[in-house]
Amino acid sequence: MSGHGLVLGKFYPFHSGHSHLIRQAQRASDRVTVQVLGASVESIPLEVRADWIRESHPGVRVVAAMDDAPVDFESEAAWDEHMALIGSLLDEPVDTVFSCDAYGGELARRLDARWVRIDEGRRINPVSGTAIRADVAGNWHELAPAVRAWLAARVVVMGAESTGSTTLAAALAERLGTLWVPEYGREHSEIREGCLDAPWRSDEFDLIVDRQIALEQRALREVPVPVLVCDTDVLATALWHERYVGSTAARLYEAAAAHPPLLYILTGDEIPFEQDGMRDGEHIRHGMQQRFRDVLAAQDVPWLEVRGDVPTRVAAAASALQELLAEHLSFAVPLEARPLDEQRALQQRVRSTSLG
């Protein structure tokens, strides 16, 4: 065993190659520190990346810090800046540096440590952050469940009673090759005391929201592609609170604003009404549908109303999603991929902002 091992990187995003590197360090060391060094220009929060590693490798010490110094391995001044930060994050001297890339040799020398190069040329794990950022969907299998849950987009289907929202959610998920989350509120309606005959309490809707979000969070870790379809969400639950309790619950609207999807899809009310024994009736459907439209128009998430048969609705939803999903899965260019002049200018800007 090598005593104290060090692994550092951007983890932008964290992937299977990183996990292999950390596991190798753990096998060869008494203890391992993983340093997550991000830059201000990158679009995944630093602590999110650190939490991914903590979940996947609970036996290592994970520390994170912003490192906006230029990535210039030929510059002594740049090395000095990096080393000052790296040293400040260590709680004891390092015995071994583990890395895949060649900079590990110089880093180890400056730490007076041994260098162990893992998977040179990425022959065992032919994956990189660059490849994943370029094609998230194509490299989805390289990501841990926690990373998938953070990166995957949610698409919410909603509508008044008997507008085909559940049918569309299932059909859209099949078209996209992914999972869909059913409406927990319907299940709750069946099992609550008094079923549909008892008056609704306001706090029941908090329970429905909690259960709905829990179902989503579980499914986000399991989706085979970076999108999840949801049959209803917190915003729809807030609207049903108005209908069944008779008052607006500001807390539910606040919860919806804090939990936005990528896209809302409203199912049209032009199709025939079907009574399944759990619906209020056609007499309130159009009014409720207009309330959905008004609320969706007043919030910031993109939305569209789909009409027609199921294939037509699926095609419209999938078309609207395509561009939004591409934008959602894009990343800011990492610091080291930018020209050195730009890196230096960005560092100066960050310094000026912090001083001002």
Side-chain angles (χ1 to χ4, degrees), residues 7-70:
V7 174
L8 62 79
K10 288 183 173 293
F11 308 100
Y12 185 54
F14 176 65
H15 56 69
S16 61
H18 296 135
S19 275
H20 175 71
L21 177 60
I22 294 169
R23 282 194 299 269
Q24 292 297 104
Q26 286 182 286
R27 291 190 183 105
S29 308
D30 296 317
R31 64 185 296 258
V32 173
T33 292
V34 178
Q35 293 189 1
V36 184
L37 304 180
S40 303
V41 295
E42 294 158 359
S43 52
I44 300 177
L46 204 59
E47 276 305 312
V48 168
R49 301 182 228 178
D51 286 342
W52 289 340
I53 300 170
R54 291 185 184 109
E55 178 178 313
S56 296
H57 301 278
V60 305
R61 174 178 177 261
V62 182
V63 292
M66 285 295 182
D67 184 4
D68 288 309

Coordinates of all heavy atoms in Angstrom, one line a residue, residues 7-70:
V7 N -5.9 11.7 -6.5 CA -6.5 11.8 -7.8 C -7.1 13.2 -8.0 O -7.8 13.6 -7.1 CB -7.6 10.7 -8.0 CG1 -8.3 10.9 -9.3 CG2 -7.0 9.3 -7.8
L8 N -6.8 13.8 -9.1 CA -7.5 15.1 -9.3 C -8.0 15.2 -10.7 O -7.5 14.5 -11.6 CB -6.6 16.3 -8.9 CG -5.3 16.5 -9.6 CD1 -5.5 17.2 -11.0 CD2 -4.4 17.4 -8.8
G9 N -9.0 16.1 -10.9 CA -9.5 16.3 -12.3 C -10.7 17.2 -12.2 O -11.1 17.7 -11.2
K10 N -11.2 17.5 -13.4 CA -12.4 18.3 -13.5 C -13.7 17.5 -13.3 O -14.7 18.0 -12.8 CB -12.4 19.0 -14.9 CG -11.4 20.1 -15.0 CD -11.5 20.8 -16.4 CE -10.6 22.0 -16.4 NZ -11.0 23.0 -15.5
F11 N -13.7 16.3 -13.8 CA -14.9 15.4 -13.7 C -16.1 16.1 -14.3 O -17.1 16.3 -13.7 CB -15.2 15.0 -12.2 CG -13.9 14.4 -11.5 CD1 -13.2 15.2 -10.7 CD2 -13.6 13.1 -11.8 CE1 -12.0 14.7 -10.1 CE2 -12.4 12.6 -11.1 CZ -11.7 13.4 -10.3
Y12 N -15.9 16.5 -15.6 CA -16.8 17.4 -16.3 C -17.4 16.7 -17.5 O -16.9 17.1 -18.6 CB -16.1 18.7 -16.6 CG -16.9 19.8 -17.2 CD1 -18.0 20.3 -16.7 CD2 -16.4 20.4 -18.4 CE1 -18.7 21.3 -17.3 CE2 -17.1 21.4 -19.0 CZ -18.3 21.9 -18.4 OH -19.0 22.9 -19.0
P13 N -18.3 15.7 -17.4 CA -18.8 15.2 -16.1 C -18.0 13.9 -15.7 O -17.2 13.4 -16.4 CB -20.2 14.8 -16.5 CG -20.1 14.3 -18.0 CD -19.0 15.2 -18.6
F14 N -18.4 13.5 -14.5 CA -17.8 12.2 -13.9 C -18.3 11.0 -14.7 O -19.5 10.9 -15.0 CB -18.3 12.2 -12.5 CG -17.9 10.9 -11.7 CD1 -16.6 10.6 -11.5 CD2 -18.9 10.0 -11.2 CE1 -16.2 9.5 -10.8 CE2 -18.5 8.9 -10.5 CZ -17.2 8.7 -10.3
H15 N -17.3 10.1 -15.1 CA -17.7 9.0 -15.9 C -16.9 7.7 -15.4 O -16.2 7.7 -14.5 CB -17.4 9.3 -17.4 CG -16.0 9.7 -17.7 ND1 -14.9 8.8 -17.6 CD2 -15.5 10.9 -18.1 CE1 -13.8 9.5 -18.0 NE2 -14.2 10.7 -18.2
S16 N -17.1 6.6 -16.2 CA -16.6 5.3 -15.8 C -15.1 5.3 -15.8 O -14.5 4.6 -15.0 CB -17.1 4.2 -16.7 OG -16.7 4.5 -18.1
G17 N -14.4 6.1 -16.6 CA -13.0 6.1 -16.6 C -12.5 6.7 -15.3 O -11.5 6.3 -14.8
H18 N -13.2 7.7 -14.9 CA -12.8 8.3 -13.6 C -13.0 7.3 -12.4 O -12.1 7.2 -11.5 CB -13.7 9.6 -13.3 CG -13.5 10.7 -14.2 ND1 -14.6 11.4 -14.8 CD2 -12.4 11.3 -14.7 CE1 -14.1 12.3 -15.5 NE2 -12.8 12.3 -15.5
S19 N -14.0 6.6 -12.5 CA -14.3 5.6 -11.4 C -13.2 4.5 -11.4 O -12.7 4.1 -10.4 CB -15.7 4.9 -11.6 OG -16.7 5.6 -11.1
H20 N -12.8 4.1 -12.6 CA -11.7 3.1 -12.7 C -10.4 3.7 -12.1 O -9.7 2.9 -11.3 CB -11.4 2.7 -14.2 CG -10.3 1.8 -14.4 ND1 -10.3 0.5 -14.0 CD2 -9.0 2.0 -14.9 CE1 -9.1 -0.1 -14.3 NE2 -8.4 0.9 -14.9
L21 N -10.1 4.9 -12.4 CA -8.9 5.5 -11.8 C -9.0 5.6 -10.3 O -8.0 5.3 -9.6 CB -8.8 6.9 -12.4 CG -7.6 7.8 -11.9 CD1 -6.3 7.2 -12.2 CD2 -7.7 9.2 -12.5
I22 N -10.1 6.0 -9.8 CA -10.3 6.1 -8.3 C -10.2 4.7 -7.7 O -9.5 4.5 -6.6 CB -11.6 6.8 -8.0 CG1 -11.5 8.3 -8.4 CG2 -11.9 6.7 -6.4 CD1 -12.9 9.0 -8.4
R23 N -10.8 3.7 -8.3 CA -10.7 2.4 -7.7 C -9.3 1.8 -7.7 O -8.9 1.2 -6.7 CB -11.6 1.4 -8.5 CG -13.1 1.5 -8.1 CD -13.9 0.4 -8.7 NE -13.8 0.3 -10.2 CZ -14.7 0.9 -11.0 NH1 -15.7 1.6 -10.5 NH2 -14.5 0.8 -12.3
Q24 N -8.6 2.1 -8.7 CA -7.2 1.7 -8.7 C -6.4 2.3 -7.6 O -5.5 1.7 -7.0 CB -6.5 2.0 -10.1 CG -7.1 1.1 -11.3 CD -6.9 -0.4 -11.1 OE1 -7.8 -1.1 -10.7 NE2 -5.6 -0.8 -11.3
A25 N -6.6 3.6 -7.4 CA -5.9 4.3 -6.4 C -6.3 3.8 -5.0 O -5.4 3.6 -4.1 CB -6.3 5.8 -6.4
Q26 N -7.6 3.4 -4.8 CA -8.0 2.9 -3.5 C -7.3 1.5 -3.3 O -7.0 1.2 -2.1 CB -9.5 2.7 -3.5 CG -10.3 4.0 -3.3 CD -11.8 3.8 -3.3 OE1 -12.4 3.5 -4.3 NE2 -12.3 3.9 -2.1
R27 N -7.2 0.7 -4.3 CA -6.6 -0.6 -4.1 C -5.1 -0.5 -3.7 O -4.6 -1.4 -3.0 CB -6.7 -1.4 -5.4 CG -8.1 -1.8 -5.8 CD -8.1 -2.8 -6.9 NE -9.5 -3.2 -7.3 CZ -10.1 -2.7 -8.4 NH1 -9.5 -1.9 -9.3 NH2 -11.3 -3.1 -8.7
A28 N -4.5 0.6 -4.1 CA -3.0 0.7 -3.9 C -2.7 1.6 -2.8 O -1.5 1.8 -2.5 CB -2.4 1.2 -5.2
S29 N -3.7 2.2 -2.1 CA -3.4 3.2 -1.1 C -4.1 2.9 0.2 O -5.2 2.3 0.2 CB -3.8 4.6 -1.6 OG -3.3 4.9 -2.9
D30 N -3.6 3.4 1.3 CA -4.3 3.4 2.6 C -5.5 4.3 2.6 O -6.5 4.0 3.2 CB -3.3 3.7 3.7 CG -2.2 2.7 3.9 OD1 -2.5 1.5 3.8 OD2 -1.0 3.1 4.0
R31 N -5.3 5.5 2.0 CA -6.4 6.4 1.9 C -6.2 7.2 0.6 O -5.1 7.4 0.1 CB -6.4 7.4 3.1 CG -5.2 8.3 3.3 CD -5.3 9.1 4.6 NE -6.5 10.0 4.6 CZ -6.4 11.3 4.4 NH1 -5.2 11.8 4.1 NH2 -7.5 12.1 4.4
V32 N -7.3 7.8 0.1 CA -7.3 8.5 -1.2 C -8.0 9.8 -1.0 O -9.1 9.9 -0.5 CB -7.9 7.7 -2.3 CG1 -8.0 8.5 -3.6 CG2 -7.1 6.4 -2.6
T33 N -7.4 10.9 -1.5 CA -8.0 12.2 -1.7 C -8.3 12.4 -3.1 O -7.4 12.2 -4.0 CB -7.1 13.3 -1.2 OG1 -7.0 13.2 0.3 CG2 -7.7 14.7 -1.5
V34 N -9.5 12.8 -3.4 CA -9.9 13.2 -4.8 C -10.2 14.7 -4.8 O -11.0 15.2 -4.0 CB -11.2 12.4 -5.3 CG1 -11.6 12.9 -6.7 CG2 -10.9 10.9 -5.3
Q35 N -9.4 15.4 -5.6 CA -9.6 16.8 -5.7 C -10.4 17.2 -7.0 O -10.0 16.8 -8.1 CB -8.3 17.6 -5.7 CG -7.5 17.5 -4.4 CD -6.3 18.4 -4.4 OE1 -6.0 19.2 -5.3 NE2 -5.6 18.4 -3.3
V36 N -11.5 17.8 -6.8 CA -12.3 18.3 -8.0 C -12.0 19.7 -8.2 O -12.3 20.6 -7.4 CB -13.8 18.1 -7.7 CG1 -14.7 18.5 -8.9 CG2 -14.2 16.7 -7.2
L37 N -11.3 20.0 -9.3 CA -10.8 21.4 -9.6 C -11.6 21.8 -10.9 O -11.2 21.5 -12.0 CB -9.3 21.4 -9.8 CG -8.5 20.8 -8.7 CD1 -7.0 20.9 -9.0 CD2 -8.8 21.6 -7.4
G38 N -12.6 22.7 -10.7 CA -13.3 23.2 -11.8 C -13.0 24.6 -12.1 O -12.2 25.3 -11.4
A39 N -13.5 25.2 -13.2 CA -13.3 26.6 -13.5 C -14.6 27.3 -13.6 O -15.7 26.7 -13.8 CB -12.6 26.7 -14.9
S40 N -14.6 28.6 -13.4 CA -15.8 29.4 -13.3 C -16.6 29.4 -14.6 O -17.8 29.6 -14.6 CB -15.4 30.9 -13.0 OG -14.7 30.9 -11.7
V41 N -15.9 29.1 -15.7 CA -16.6 29.2 -17.0 C -17.4 27.9 -17.3 O -18.2 27.8 -18.3 CB -15.6 29.4 -18.2 CG1 -15.0 30.8 -18.0 CG2 -14.6 28.3 -18.2
E42 N -17.2 26.9 -16.5 CA -17.9 25.6 -16.8 C -19.3 25.5 -16.2 O -19.6 26.2 -15.3 CB -17.0 24.4 -16.2 CG -15.7 24.3 -16.9 CD -14.6 23.6 -16.1 OE1 -14.9 23.3 -14.9 OE2 -13.5 23.5 -16.6
S43 N -20.1 24.7 -16.8 CA -21.6 24.8 -16.6 C -22.1 23.7 -15.7 O -23.4 23.6 -15.5 CB -22.3 24.8 -17.9 OG -21.9 23.7 -18.7
I44 N -21.3 22.9 -15.1 CA -21.8 21.9 -14.0 C -21.2 22.4 -12.7 O -20.0 22.5 -12.6 CB -21.3 20.5 -14.3 CG1 -21.8 20.0 -15.6 CG2 -21.8 19.6 -13.2 CD1 -21.4 18.6 -16.0
P45 N -22.1 22.7 -11.7 CA -21.6 23.2 -10.4 C -20.6 22.3 -9.8 O -20.7 21.1 -9.9 CB -22.9 23.3 -9.6 CG -24.0 23.5 -10.6 CD -23.6 22.7 -11.8
L46 N -19.6 22.9 -9.2 CA -18.5 22.2 -8.6 C -19.0 21.1 -7.5 O -18.5 20.0 -7.5 CB -17.5 23.2 -7.9 CG -16.1 22.7 -7.8 CD1 -15.5 22.4 -9.1 CD2 -15.3 23.8 -7.1
E47 N -19.9 21.6 -6.7 CA -20.3 20.7 -5.6 C -21.2 19.5 -6.1 O -21.2 18.4 -5.5 CB -21.1 21.4 -4.5 CG -20.2 22.1 -3.5 CD -19.3 21.1 -2.8 OE1 -19.7 20.0 -2.4 OE2 -18.0 21.3 -2.7
V48 N -21.8 19.7 -7.3 CA -22.6 18.6 -7.9 C -21.6 17.5 -8.3 O -21.8 16.4 -8.1 CB -23.4 19.1 -9.1 CG1 -23.9 18.0 -9.9 CG2 -24.5 20.0 -8.7
R49 N -20.5 17.9 -8.9 CA -19.5 17.0 -9.4 C -18.9 16.2 -8.1 O -18.7 15.0 -8.2 CB -18.4 17.7 -10.1 CG -18.8 18.4 -11.4 CD -17.6 19.0 -12.1 NE -17.9 20.4 -12.5 CZ -17.0 21.2 -13.1 NH1 -15.8 20.7 -13.4 NH2 -17.3 22.4 -13.3
A50 N -18.6 17.0 -7.1 CA -18.0 16.4 -5.9 C -19.0 15.4 -5.3 O -18.6 14.3 -4.8 CB -17.7 17.5 -4.9
D51 N -20.3 15.7 -5.3 CA -21.3 14.8 -4.7 C -21.4 13.5 -5.5 O -21.7 12.5 -5.0 CB -22.7 15.5 -4.6 CG -22.7 16.5 -3.5 OD1 -21.9 16.4 -2.6 OD2 -23.6 17.4 -3.5
W52 N -21.3 13.6 -6.9 CA -21.3 12.4 -7.7 C -20.2 11.4 -7.2 O -20.5 10.2 -7.1 CB -21.0 12.8 -9.2 CG -22.1 13.5 -9.8 CD1 -23.5 13.6 -9.5 CD2 -22.0 14.3 -11.0 NE1 -24.2 14.3 -10.4 CE2 -23.3 14.8 -11.3 CE3 -21.0 14.6 -11.9 CZ2 -23.6 15.6 -12.4 CZ3 -21.2 15.4 -13.0 CH2 -22.5 15.9 -13.3
I53 N -19.0 12.0 -7.0 CA -17.9 11.1 -6.6 C -18.1 10.6 -5.2 O -17.9 9.4 -4.9 CB -16.6 11.9 -6.7 CG1 -16.4 12.3 -8.1 CG2 -15.4 11.0 -6.2 CD1 -15.2 13.3 -8.3
R54 N -18.6 11.4 -4.3 CA -18.9 10.9 -2.9 C -19.9 9.8 -2.9 O -19.8 8.8 -2.1 CB -19.4 12.1 -2.1 CG -18.4 13.2 -1.8 CD -19.0 14.2 -0.8 NE -18.0 15.3 -0.6 CZ -18.1 16.5 -1.1 NH1 -19.2 16.8 -1.8 NH2 -17.2 17.4 -0.9
E55 N -20.9 9.8 -3.7 CA -21.9 8.8 -3.8 C -21.3 7.5 -4.4 O -21.5 6.4 -3.9 CB -23.1 9.2 -4.6 CG -24.1 8.1 -4.8 CD -25.4 8.5 -5.5 OE1 -25.9 9.5 -5.3 OE2 -25.8 7.7 -6.4
S56 N -20.5 7.6 -5.4 CA -20.0 6.5 -6.1 C -18.8 5.8 -5.4 O -18.5 4.6 -5.5 CB -19.5 6.8 -7.6 OG -20.7 7.2 -8.3
H57 N -18.1 6.7 -4.6 CA -16.8 6.2 -3.9 C -16.8 6.8 -2.5 O -16.1 7.7 -2.2 CB -15.6 6.7 -4.7 CG -15.5 6.2 -6.1 ND1 -15.1 4.9 -6.4 CD2 -15.9 6.7 -7.3 CE1 -15.2 4.7 -7.7 NE2 -15.7 5.8 -8.3
P58 N -17.7 6.2 -1.7 CA -17.8 6.8 -0.3 C -16.6 6.6 0.6 O -16.5 7.3 1.6 CB -19.0 6.0 0.3 CG -19.1 4.7 -0.5 CD -18.6 5.1 -1.9
G59 N -15.6 5.8 0.2 CA -14.4 5.6 1.0 C -13.3 6.6 0.7 O -12.3 6.5 1.4
V60 N -13.5 7.5 -0.2 CA -12.5 8.5 -0.4 C -12.8 9.9 0.1 O -14.0 10.2 0.4 CB -12.2 8.6 -2.0 CG1 -11.9 7.3 -2.6 CG2 -13.3 9.3 -2.7
R61 N -11.8 10.7 0.4 CA -12.0 12.1 0.8 C -12.1 12.9 -0.5 O -11.2 12.9 -1.3 CB -10.9 12.5 1.7 CG -10.9 14.0 2.1 CD -9.7 14.4 3.0 NE -9.7 15.8 3.3 CZ -8.9 16.7 2.7 NH1 -8.1 16.3 1.8 NH2 -9.0 17.9 3.1
V62 N -13.2 13.6 -0.6 CA -13.5 14.5 -1.8 C -13.5 15.9 -1.4 O -14.2 16.3 -0.5 CB -14.8 14.1 -2.5 CG1 -15.0 15.0 -3.7 CG2 -14.8 12.6 -2.8
V63 N -12.6 16.7 -2.0 CA -12.6 18.2 -1.8 C -12.7 18.9 -3.2 O -12.3 18.3 -4.2 CB -11.3 18.6 -1.1 CG1 -11.3 18.1 0.4 CG2 -10.1 18.1 -1.8
A64 N -13.3 20.1 -3.1 CA -13.5 20.8 -4.4 C -13.1 22.2 -4.3 O -13.3 22.8 -3.2 CB -15.0 20.6 -4.8
A65 N -12.6 22.8 -5.4 CA -12.3 24.2 -5.4 C -12.2 24.7 -6.8 O -12.0 24.0 -7.7 CB -10.9 24.5 -4.7
M66 N -12.5 26.0 -7.0 CA -12.4 26.6 -8.3 C -10.9 26.9 -8.6 O -10.2 27.4 -7.7 CB -13.1 28.0 -8.3 CG -14.6 27.8 -8.4 SD -15.1 27.1 -10.0 CE -16.9 27.1 -9.8
D67 N -10.5 26.5 -9.8 CA -9.1 26.7 -10.2 C -9.1 27.4 -11.6 O -9.3 26.7 -12.6 CB -8.4 25.4 -10.3 CG -6.9 25.5 -10.7 OD1 -6.4 26.7 -10.8 OD2 -6.2 24.5 -10.8
D68 N -9.1 28.7 -11.6 CA -9.2 29.5 -12.8 C -7.8 29.8 -13.4 O -7.7 30.6 -14.4 CB -10.0 30.8 -12.6 CG -11.4 30.5 -12.4 OD1 -12.0 29.8 -13.2 OD2 -12.0 31.0 -11.4
A69 N -6.7 29.3 -12.9 CA -5.4 29.5 -13.4 C -5.3 28.9 -14.8 O -5.9 27.8 -15.1 CB -4.3 28.9 -12.5
P70 N -4.6 29.5 -15.8 CA -4.5 29.0 -17.1 C -3.9 27.6 -17.1 O -3.0 27.3 -16.3 CB -3.6 30.0 -17.8 CG -3.8 31.2 -17.1 CD -4.0 30.8 -15.6

